[in-house]
Amino acid sequence: MKKRFMAIGMAVILAFSLTACGGSSGSSGGSTSGSAASTDTGSTEAAASGEVYKIKMHHDLSEESAQHQGLLKYKEIVEKKSGGRVQIQIFANNTLGTDTEVAEMLQTGSVESALIPTAKLSGFYAPLQLLDLPFVFPTRDACYGALDDEEFKSMLLDPMEEIGFKGINFWESGFKQFTANSPLESMADFNGLKFRTMESPLIIAQFEALGASPTPIDLGETYNSLQQGVVDGEENPLVTIVSNKFYEVQKNCTISNHAYLAYALLFAKSYWDTLPEDIQQIIEEAAAEAVQEERQITIDNEDGYIQTIKDSGCEVSYLSDEAKAEMTEAMKPVHEQFRDVIGSDTLDKGYEIIESYNK
């Protein structure tokens, strides 16, 4: 009898345990089913819907950058509009790996989403090099107009689905400027100078057209290379020049806006295809809204960046219209050199769309 009562007691305890731990255990496509761990309103609504989509989001800059601030806005919009059904975790500073490594992770689906410089994606999809061409964007309005143009976006992003990427839209680090240890006021000033570049044939060709000697060096090693005289100068958007403190080891900064550093907001195509259509729409709408804030932050920060460079003792100058025209003409052959790589039709259509916004 005593053993019988003990058996009944154990059965009751087990029943209560199973009730307390109950819930659906199914999951697919990187989503988790059942109650979300958070107790906020969005997560409560998500629990009611039965499914939460968790997205790891990579980018390569600091938490102080315009990209990170823009992604925080993007996260806020997506999570609010989805009622907590989507939860985004942002990983700054290459925490998940380098841009190239994360691009490969997107292809395998081990990372859901990322913001990656288009220059670093050109090895995966060559036509993106259209955005890296020197002086391809004559004004900021022409640049933003083209990047937000549906035909322009589709032309460059849609074909990437075949290699595992779902492109959403284009973000930025901004227009590039030159730094060096001597003034850069004309083409002649570039002759023979050693410039650090990305590992990009197009950017290397750009500096060769200027009469300089390009040297590919990893961004993380650029400060020491400038300090030790391995190279004489480099090019980058102001945010990169300031965040990496290149002004400490350079005597001159020339505001030239000679090229543009775009970013592509990407999803793993395999993951994107698992998302419901309403979630996909929320993500696309949020990205279109957040990128406007990211660009405005970039613009708002420029004066402060320039002042930081000046305060360090690094001289800041502006490329004259005459010098800009001279350099534009000298680098036209670079456009033609990469016409077949980018695609002749793509390049010509790109010119046409960009010019339509050049007002």
Side-chain angles (χ1 to χ4, degrees):
M1 181 71 70
K2 184 175 180 181
K3 290 182 179 179
R4 183 183 174 196
F5 281 128
M6 288 178 65
I8 293 172
M10 290 298 294
V12 171
I13 292 171
L14 180 61
F16 275 115
S17 298
L18 290 172
T19 303
C21 296
S24 172
S25 61
S27 67
S28 64
S31 65
T32 58
S33 300
S35 300
S38 174
T39 58
D40 63 9
T41 304
S43 295
T44 301
E45 293 177 9
S49 74
E51 199 157 20
V52 176
Y53 296 90
K54 295 186 176 181
I55 297 172
K56 295 188 294 292
M57 165 66 67
H58 154 92
H59 73 92
D60 64 352
L61 292 177
S62 72
E63 294 178 352
E64 289 73 40
S65 66
Q67 286 92 331
H68 190 79
Q69 298 307 309
L71 286 175
L72 288 176
K73 181 67 174 178
Y74 167 72
K75 167 184 167 71
E76 175 190 335
I77 297 169
V78 170
E79 293 184 352
K80 182 177 180 180
K81 287 189 174 182
S82 70
R85 291 167 62 202
V86 180
Q87 295 175 6
I88 298 174
Q89 187 175 6
I90 301 169
F91 293 85
N93 287 311
N94 282 334
T95 306
L96 298 178
T98 67
D99 287 317
T100 301
E101 289 169 344
V102 172
E104 292 169 350
M105 293 178 197
L106 289 174
Q107 289 182 306
T108 63
S110 54
V111 170
E112 290 78 28
S113 187
L115 194 61
I116 298 178
T118 56
K120 295 184 180 179
L121 290 167
S122 61
F124 296 86
Y125 185 63
L128 284 175
Q129 291 178 92
L130 187 157
L131 304 177
D132 299 324
L133 289 168
F135 294 110
V136 71
F137 296 115
T139 64
R140 182 170 256 130
D141 286 344
C143 175
Y144 292 166
L147 294 182
D148 292 341
D149 184 274
E150 290 302 324
E151 184 178 9
F152 191 89
K153 285 194 296 182
S154 294
M155 178 177 70
L156 291 178
L157 293 177
D158 288 357
M160 295 179 71
E161 294 186 16
E162 297 181 6
I163 55 173
F165 301 111
K166 168 61 182 179
I168 305 299
N169 66 346
F170 293 110
W171 294 41
E172 71 171 9
S173 261
F175 283 92
K176 295 180 185 178
Q177 322 302 342
F178 294 115
T179 70
N181 284 322
S182 56
L184 301 173
E185 298 174 350
S186 69
M187 281 276 295
D189 294 329
F190 288 83
N191 192 38
L193 291 184
K194 294 175 291 184
F195 272 84
R196 175 269 170 184
T197 71
M198 288 184 183
E199 188 69 58
S200 162
L202 188 151
I203 296 174
I204 289 170
Q206 166 194 292
F207 279 98
E208 290 175 340
L210 290 173
S213 177
T215 305
I217 295 174
D218 184 78
L219 182 64
E221 298 174 5
T222 300
Y223 184 98
N224 287 339
S225 297
L226 292 168
Q227 186 178 45
Q228 296 167 10
V230 176
V231 287
D232 302 304
E234 57 85 41
E235 62 159 12
N236 262 301
L238 287 168
V239 60
T240 306
I241 292 169
V242 171
S243 62
N244 289 276
K245 299 184 178 182
F246 294 151
Y247 55 81
E248 291 182 344
V249 288
Q250 296 276 261
K251 295 177 181 178
N252 299 85
C253 176
T254 302
I255 306 301
S256 55
N257 295 332
H258 63 279
Y260 184 74
L261 184 53
Y263 277 66
L265 179 61
L266 303 173
F267 271 77
K269 180 64 166 57
S270 58
Y271 179 75
W272 179 261
D273 289 344
T274 70
L275 297 175
E277 288 186 13
D278 65 318
I279 295 295
Q280 292 177 350
Q281 183 176 349
I282 287 170
I283 286 171
E284 290 175 332
E285 291 174 353
E289 183 176 343
V291 74
Q292 303 306 321
E293 179 156 327
E294 189 256 355
R295 290 171 183 168
Q296 190 59 53
I297 292 171
T298 299
I299 294 169
D300 293 343
N301 286 344
E302 284 185 351
D303 287 343
Y305 291 144
I306 291 172
Q307 191 59 51
T308 296
I309 294 170
K310 288 180 176 178
D311 290 345
S312 74
C314 181
E315 183 178 346
V316 176
S317 61
Y318 291 78
L319 198 66
S320 69
D321 290 341
E322 293 77 15
K324 189 172 291 188
E326 179 188 27
M327 291 171 61
T328 300
E329 188 65 27
M331 289 195 279
K332 279 184 179 178
V334 177
H335 289 231
E336 291 305 310
Q337 181 180 341
F338 286 83
R339 173 175 286 277
D340 290 342
V341 175
I342 293 168
S344 189
D345 291 344
T346 298
L347 184 59
D348 289 337
K349 175 55 71 172
Y351 288 153
E352 179 185 325
I353 294 172
I354 291 167
E355 187 55 35
S356 72
Y357 292 99
N358 185 25
K359 299 172 182 177

